[in-house]
Each structure stands twice: as C-alpha cells, then as structure tokens.
Amino acid sequence: MNKYYQISFYFNGGVRASYHQQYDSVELAQQAINAAFTKKELLQIDGSVINTGKALGYAVIPANTVTPDQTVIWDML
C-alpha cells in the first residue's frame, strides 16, 4: 500500500527543502532518495528544483497525511 513520506534535504546555513511523495515502504523510499543523493541529481518538483549535489544530508520520515501539499517547502532551521 502506498503511503506518503516527507522527504527533506538539508543545506548549508540551516536551509531545508521538504516535500511529500508516495512509496510502498520506508525502505523503498530510503533507497530511492539515497540513489538521488548519491548521484547528485537535480530533482524537479512542482516548479522547484532541488540540487541534491549541494545537500549535506537528507531524511525520510512517514508523513501523517493522506492528502499532502504538492509543493516544496523551503525553510530555515
């Protein structure tokens, strides 16, 4: 069953880019995001671009939602 996961990438200066995406399990989500992070891909999501090559790290956590926002949220920690 597909569940939503919150994907976050962390950058210098405490900047975080987060979005929601569906995966069958947390393991599959981790594998997909790790592959994008390792390959330093440019992720294009709803008009935003996340350069994973400049990210310092990432996190994949289960989202407590059934209808998440379809945008990338940029914020500072």
Side-chain angles (χ1 to χ4, degrees):
M1 182 173 111
N2 283 345
K3 293 171 105 179
Y4 281 101
Y5 295 90
Q6 179 178 342
I7 315 298
S8 298
F9 287 96
Y10 299 93
F11 301 90
N12 278 332
V15 176
R16 175 177 63 183
S18 300
Y19 64 96
H20 292 92
Q21 195 163 359
Q22 277 186 316
Y23 290 98
D24 288 333
S25 69
V26 70
E27 291 83 14
L28 292 175
Q30 285 278 7
Q31 288 173 2
I33 300 307
N34 186 44
F37 182 72
T38 304
K39 293 178 186 173
K40 300 182 179 185
E41 294 179 356
L42 288 175
L43 301 178
Q44 296 182 0
I45 300 151
D46 193 45
S48 288
V49 176
I50 300 173
N51 185 349
T52 64
K54 298 202 183 248
L56 301 175
Y58 66 90
V60 177
I61 58 171
N64 246 354
T65 184
V66 290
T67 56
D69 295 332
Q70 298 298 315
T71 58
V72 175
I73 298 169
W74 292 87
D75 58 353
M76 292 189 74
L77 304 175

